[in-house]
Amino acid sequence: MVSRRNVMKAGATAGAAALVTTTAAAAARGSTPPATPAHGAHTGHGGTAHVAAAAAPFTVRMPTPPVQQPIASVGNTDFYVVSTRKAQAEILPGTRTEVLTYDGLFPGPTFRVKTGRLAVIAHSNHLDMPTAVHVHGGQTPSSSDGFPTDVLDPGRSRIYSYPNKQRAATLWYHDHAHHMEAEHVFRGLAGFFLIDDPAQADLRLPSGNYDVPIMLRDARFADDASLVFEHDDFQFRNTILANGKPQPYFQVAARKYRLRFVNASNLRTFTLRLGNDAEVTQIASDGGLLAGPTPIRSWSLTPGERIEIVVDFGAFPVGSQVFLDDAVAGPVLRFDVNRTATDTSRVPDRLSTIPALPAATKERAFTLNLNPATGQFLINGQQFDADRVDTEIKRNTTEVWTVTNGDTLFGIPHNFHPHLVQFRVLSRNGQPPAPGEAGLKDTISVGPGETVRLQATFGPYLGRYVYHCHMIDHSASGMMAQMKIVP
């Protein structure tokens, strides 16, 4: 029904959208020694650049990325502007490193949105190469999903729309321009995209300053502190960064914290533990809250995976130093318990209701492997071709996918990430999923010779999307395929 109120609301929305587009267009016109390999047993590429000396550990404070604020909010829509550009960042203390950034930040600003509320983001590209923005884990219309060949050219702007009609979850966004995504993400094009649900406030999980996103990744530096990118270089990316800083410290109060981890590495798997095998509580995986809390003493994240844990630093005396250790890299972050604080938060026995599994109407099988003769990474024997539809799926149907890592000869790990959907893990090597994988996921590890079975319902949007290995040096080399969601 057309009413004066609806016309005024539509006009205000259009005006705000025009403001976003105009602002973005104006911005676009302006100028703005090696550790044990963490990737696998196959040989990486050498190079002529030297590895920069590591910074002294725990001399730099870990920052938390600033939250991007909307330039306008109209009705149920928030409007944002962000630019992609080069910047100089102090990563190694006392040096400057050229990085690729969103809004000049390394890592990029955090978008904190609400479930069911539309976020409209105008991106302008100040780089001299195309980009494609993908919200990893987002249920997004295909026009805004960041299809690898649907790029934003240098000097141009475009609108990405995110309905956020999904569960609250820790997502992240990064570049996805094909053949360039691995280097772009390595050089800095990544940030958090957090979906909040106000209905979860009753859970009384730690919030505000006690809800901390932590982006972990590795890097390689030359002697002049410049980033050294070489494709498939898993051997020499040995400087570990937490929120863009090498082996930082972070001051905490003696109370509970909600820590959100994302592995933003190209190839490295992190296997983490806190302190002297301290027990922590996993509350969420990629797709949001688990059904109930799960006590754990270590956790692994392949590239692209996320986990949320609650740590009670009240278990440590004020003055304690608590280390976050990786199984290969050693200490990556130090928590300094430096004060007391009132704590009214909790971890309830019941966190969420995981949606029931509907009946599947189709099964498919996918094999991930390297062709040793060509050095190409493949899915079902084929490299990615944007002009070829590999999998056609009817909208809102449910399928079971069996994904196998066929790289047993060289022992190469992979993982698997379909766009558009969250999935349930049915089994790993014929066994039920571990409690931490029993919630909703969008990225799953598949070790050499392993097989995982996944179930997903594909929708609600039509169009083309990709699925790929999220060890993104592999997907940049072709380990990616196209699915088309049809009526």
Side-chain angles (χ1 to χ4, degrees), residues 254-255 274-276 278-279 311-322 337:
R255 55 151 291 157
L274 189 71
N276 188 19
E279 184 177 276
V311 177
D312 188 358
F313 288 106
F316 303 95
V318 172
S320 298
Q321 296 179 336
V322 185
V337 186

Side-chain angles (χ1 to χ4, degrees), residues 426-473:
L426 301 180
S427 65
R428 178 183 290 278
N429 302 322
Q431 300 299 313
E437 289 188 335
L440 292 174
K441 294 275 293 172
D442 56 54
T443 310
I444 188 76
S445 65
V446 194
E450 283 198 316
T451 294
V452 294
R453 296 183 75 243
L454 318 171
Q455 181 167 330
T457 299
F458 291 82
Y461 306 109
L462 301 174
R464 59 180 186 164
Y465 297 86
V466 293
Y467 50 93
H468 58 91
C469 177
H470 212 282
M471 292 181 169
I472 53 175
D473 288 29

Side-chain angles (χ1 to χ4, degrees), residues 132-468:
V133 183
H134 170 59
V135 171
H136 182 121
Q139 295 172 5
T140 305
S142 60
S143 58
S144 293
D145 187 63
F147 191 85
T149 57
D150 183 17
V151 295
L152 174 59
D153 288 323
R156 304 297 299 271
S157 300
R158 68 175 291 179
I159 298 293
Y160 290 82
S161 296
Y162 304 105
N164 303 314
K165 295 180 179 179
Q166 60 189 101
R167 303 171 84 235
T170 297
L171 310 184
W172 64 302
Y173 64 100
H174 60 81
D175 187 72
H176 218 301
H178 189 40
H179 293 311
M180 295 179 286
E181 64 265 47
E183 184 168 1
H184 285 182
V185 174
F186 179 84
R187 295 193 182 278
L189 291 185
F192 279 98
F193 193 97
L194 308 180
I195 302 180
D196 293 327
D197 183 350
Q200 291 183 359
D202 291 343
L203 297 175
R204 289 186 16 229
L205 293 165
S207 60
N209 292 333
Y210 308 108
D211 180 354
V212 182
I214 302 174
M215 180 172 285
L216 294 176
R217 55 158 294 180
D218 55 6
R220 177 183 174 184
F221 294 90
D223 286 340
D224 64 358
S226 61
L227 283 166
V228 178
F229 176 80
E230 292 186 48
H231 185 77
D232 209 26
D233 173 21
F234 61 91
Q235 290 181 301
F236 298 106
R237 296 170 182 169
N238 295 317
T239 300
I240 308 301
L241 306 179
N243 286 350
K245 299 297 183 181
Q247 282 185 293
Y249 68 88
F250 188 71
Q251 295 177 332
V252 295
R255 55 151 291 157
K256 290 187 286 297
Y257 279 73
R258 180 179 187 169
L259 305 180
R260 304 171 184 254
F261 289 96
V262 60
N263 181 353
S265 301
N266 286 37
L267 296 169
R268 178 182 292 267
T269 293
F270 288 102
T271 299
L272 303 166
R273 62 183 65 245
L274 189 71
N276 188 19
D277 289 335
E279 184 177 276
V280 301
T281 304
Q282 180 180 353
I283 60 169
S285 57
D286 302 336
L289 293 176
L290 302 175
T294 299
I296 56 176
R297 295 188 184 274
S298 69
W299 61 98
S300 292
L301 292 175
T302 63
E305 286 189 288
R306 287 90 65 208
I307 189 175
E308 297 182 36
I309 64 172
V310 172
V311 177
D312 188 358
F313 288 106
F316 303 95
V318 172
S320 298
Q321 296 179 336
V322 185
F323 293 87
L324 179 69
D325 290 319
D326 174 65
V328 172
V332 298
L333 174 61
R334 189 184 76 195
F335 295 98
D336 294 346
V337 186
N338 71 341
R339 63 195 186 278
T340 60
T342 302
D343 187 4
T344 59
S345 68
R346 62 175 186 147
V347 179
D349 293 336
R350 188 73 181 173
L351 293 169
S352 73
T353 300
I354 305 299
L357 289 168
T361 57
K362 193 172 186 64
E363 294 212 13
R364 304 181 195 265
F366 304 91
T367 298
L368 315 177
N369 69 279
L370 170 72
N371 182 338
T374 63
Q376 297 172 338
F377 288 99
L378 311 171
I379 296 181
N380 284 353
Q382 293 184 301
Q383 275 197 304
F384 176 67
D385 182 346
D387 295 324
R388 184 189 69 236
V389 175
D390 301 280
T391 305
E392 189 171 282
I393 305 170
K394 288 191 175 296
R395 179 168 58 182
N396 296 327
T397 59
T398 299
E399 298 193 355
V400 171
W401 289 12
T402 299
V403 183
T404 299
N405 180 342
D407 278 324
T408 55
L409 178 61
F410 297 101
I412 304 173
H414 298 297
N415 67 8
F416 189 74
H417 169 58
H419 288 208
L420 177 64
V421 295
Q422 300 284 340
F423 55 74
R424 298 282 298 278
V425 181
L426 301 180
S427 65
R428 178 183 290 278
N429 302 322
Q431 300 299 313
E437 289 188 335
L440 292 174
K441 294 275 293 172
D442 56 54
T443 310
I444 188 76
S445 65
V446 194
E450 283 198 316
T451 294
V452 294
R453 296 183 75 243
L454 318 171
Q455 181 167 330
T457 299
F458 291 82
Y461 306 109
L462 301 174
R464 59 180 186 164
Y465 297 86
V466 293
Y467 50 93
H468 58 91

Side-chain angles (χ1 to χ4, degrees), residues 52-113:
F58 314 119
T59 56
V60 181
R61 184 183 182 277
M62 185 187 75
T64 53
V67 174
Q68 192 84 339
Q69 298 301 315
I71 66 166
S73 295
V74 178
N76 197 44
T77 304
D78 297 315
F79 298 89
Y80 300 85
V81 171
V82 64
S83 65
T84 308
R85 61 181 185 263
K86 292 181 180 179
Q88 297 287 324
E90 183 173 329
I91 303 173
L92 304 178
T95 68
R96 306 296 288 181
T97 299
E98 182 178 272
V99 290
L100 306 183
T101 74
Y102 296 106
D103 272 5
L105 299 174
F106 179 84
T110 295
F111 287 88
R112 191 140 204 167
V113 302

Side-chain angles (χ1 to χ4, degrees), residues 13-30:
T13 302
L19 174 62
V20 171
T21 305
T22 302
T23 305
R29 289 193 297 270

